[in-house]
Amino acid sequence: MRKIFIVLAVAVGLLAVSCDDDYTPSATLQDLFNTQYPNAVDVDWERERKGYRVVEFRLNGQECEAYYKNGKWVLTEYSIRYSELPAAVSSAFESSWGTATPIDSIYRVERNTTQNEVVYVIEIQEAQQYGVADVYLYYAPDGELLRKWIELENVDYIDYYL
């Protein structure tokens, strides 16, 4: 019985360590973040995600994630409401998907580039031949559909824009 307890204790300990994604960023990276988002609250830094440092936080009531690489800001994802979409984006979505399509999440993604600096992502669910899939629709601010991503497995869609 004691052996079983020890094995369980070790397993729980390993699981707890493997789930620990928090880390302390460098002072330079922390300063950059604080300069960009001085009003951020509930800040939670994560370890690398495919070479990127990721910080989750809340800003003005919005859930956000910022991505950094090599000490430089790459992009920030803001969770927004449907009413906050540009009219061209909501119109394009409704023209293609209708007004009754259930929406899971909507994001405004700001990138540190000169092209596609802002992208709107609408996440819906769609029946596929293999079952229900998460579908991510990427729109330019003018309503142009840039990409449709179907998530078949546990894949992080934001990787497309990193």
Side-chain angles (χ1 to χ4, degrees):
M1 183 68 171
R2 187 167 188 261
K3 287 182 182 181
I4 292 173
F5 177 74
I6 292 172
V7 169
L8 285 174
V10 170
V12 169
L14 289 174
L15 182 61
V17 170
S18 69
C19 292
D20 181 17
D21 287 338
D22 295 338
Y23 84 104
T24 303
S26 67
T28 305
L29 189 54
Q30 184 69 55
D31 288 345
L32 174 59
F33 173 79
N34 290 339
T35 300
Q36 286 181 289
Y37 306 104
N39 299 321
V41 295
D42 300 330
V43 177
D44 182 27
W45 285 90
E46 297 179 1
R47 292 188 190 277
E48 285 190 16
R49 190 183 298 170
K50 296 193 177 186
Y52 296 86
R53 300 291 186 192
V54 181
V55 59
E56 295 176 350
F57 59 100
R58 295 186 63 74
L59 185 65
N60 303 322
Q62 291 179 309
E63 293 181 18
C64 308
E65 281 189 355
Y67 289 69
Y68 297 87
K69 188 165 191 173
N70 299 326
K72 295 182 181 177
W73 173 70
V74 178
L75 66 81
T76 302
E77 175 186 272
Y78 302 88
S79 179
I80 64 172
R81 293 182 294 273
Y82 190 80
S83 61
E84 296 175 277
L85 285 171
V89 174
S90 58
S91 177
F93 173 77
E94 291 171 10
S95 295
S96 297
W97 296 89
T99 56
T101 302
I103 297 173
D104 287 342
S105 303
I106 303 173
Y107 304 99
R108 183 181 81 245
V109 179
E110 295 178 356
R111 295 179 49 202
N112 189 13
T113 65
T114 55
Q115 67 183 123
N116 297 330
E117 290 181 295
V118 176
V119 175
Y120 294 89
V121 182
I122 301 175
E123 178 189 351
I124 62 172
Q125 287 190 341
E126 181 180 52
Q128 301 283 325
Q129 62 186 4
Y130 46 81
V132 177
D134 290 329
V135 177
Y136 298 89
L137 305 166
Y138 297 78
Y139 289 94
D142 65 2
E144 176 189 359
L145 180 63
L146 301 171
R147 185 164 202 254
K148 176 181 174 182
W149 173 281
I150 299 175
E151 186 177 77
L152 304 175
E153 297 179 50
N154 189 16
V155 177
D156 195 354
Y157 76 92
I158 202 72
D159 294 342
Y160 175 76
Y161 280 105
L162 291 175

